[in-house]
Amino acid sequence: MLQHARQRDTLTVRLNGELDHAAAEGVRRDLDALLADQRVLHLVLDLDGLTFMDSSGIGVLIGRYRTLAGRGGTVSVRGMNPHIARIFQMAGLHRIINKSC
Amino acid sequence: MSIVNHMQLEFSGRPQNESFARVVISAFAVQLGPTIEEIADIKTAVSEAVTNAIVHGYEGRGGTVTLRATVDDARLLTVEVEDYGRGIDDLDQAMQPFYTSKPDAERAGMGFAVMQTFMDGLEVQTAPGKGTLVRMCKQFAPEAK
């Protein structure tokens, strides 16, 4: 479900498949294991391979935002399909999570 | 309006059945010739309702979830998701965006808001200790002649 690469203080994670409640726990655990490295300040989530997301995904994003904001970092996303972008907008995530390219 | 097609399915309230419910409702809705966006709306709304049944109705302990759907001759799709779990103590509060009874589980509190936004109608019946019935509908455009 998850591939990652790190460059200095930025961790880029690519999510694949469907991010629902069933998948959220594993994604949360894997992301938290990667973010346990305190040198990581910026998380870029590449959602290009994500075919479905519901509000369980919003919870995952907000939780990781809290972790990184707590150490002065940021979360950004890229590659959202229009449906995921709509959920993102609806939940007001654009106020705390940037879109990158 | 008269019903022209219906389906009913029972499944265990287990997280792996969330995607199963999405596949089933997508396959049933195909008869209405939906757009990709309409299919995504329905799948997301059903996913939210089924997740609520599993997480809140049964609090992760499992139980039966019923998924029903009808299509009427005015091309209205009605979907019901029912659980027989604990029910919702304060429905008005539960329907407030961002309210969650499980903040520690990183629930966003957006389930009902997503259902309301992505469907054309939403009704919730709940009785503490008996369960919750979520009924949602989506109107499809007349068939092109």
Side-chain angles (χ1 to χ4, degrees), chain A residues 14-66:
Chain A
R14 182 181 161 86
L15 298 178
N16 297 303
E18 301 191 314
L19 181 50
D20 61 2
H21 161 248
E25 194 183 323
V27 171
R28 189 178 291 131
R29 188 186 53 230
D30 292 349
L31 284 174
D32 286 350
L34 292 166
L35 295 176
D37 183 341
Q38 297 290 320
R39 291 171 298 181
V40 175
L41 289 182
H42 307 290
L43 173 65
V44 179
L45 288 167
D46 181 348
L47 308 183
D48 192 42
L50 204 60
T51 53
F52 176 84
M53 186 180 99
D54 63 14
S55 72
S56 297
I58 297 173
V60 172
L61 293 179
I62 292 175
R64 295 334 31 93
Y65 164 77
R66 286 192 181 129

Side-chain angles (χ1 to χ4, degrees), chain A residues 18 20-23 28 51-56 58-60 62-64 66 83 86-87 90-92, chain B residues 15 18-19 22 37 40-41 43-44 47-48 51 54-55 98 105-108 110-111 113-114 117-118:
Chain A
E18 301 191 314
D20 61 2
H21 161 248
R28 189 178 291 131
T51 53
F52 176 84
M53 186 180 99
D54 63 14
S55 72
S56 297
I58 297 173
V60 172
I62 292 175
R64 295 334 31 93
R66 286 192 181 129
H83 189 73
R86 212 167 138 211
I87 293 177
M90 208 191 114
Chain B
E18 292 156 10
S19 60
R22 292 196 296 272
E37 191 178 324
D41 289 352
K43 275 172 71 174
T44 310
S47 196
E48 298 291 351
T51 301
I54 294 168
V55 173
F98 301 107
E106 287 190 354
R107 303 301 310 158
M110 292 298 291
V114 168
T117 304
F118 289 0

Side-chain angles (χ1 to χ4, degrees), chain B residues 29-50:
Chain B
V30 161
Q31 63 193 288
L32 290 156
T35 61
I36 291 171
E37 191 178 324
E38 285 167 336
I39 281 285
D41 289 352
I42 296 162
K43 275 172 71 174
T44 310
V46 166
S47 196
E48 298 291 351
V50 170

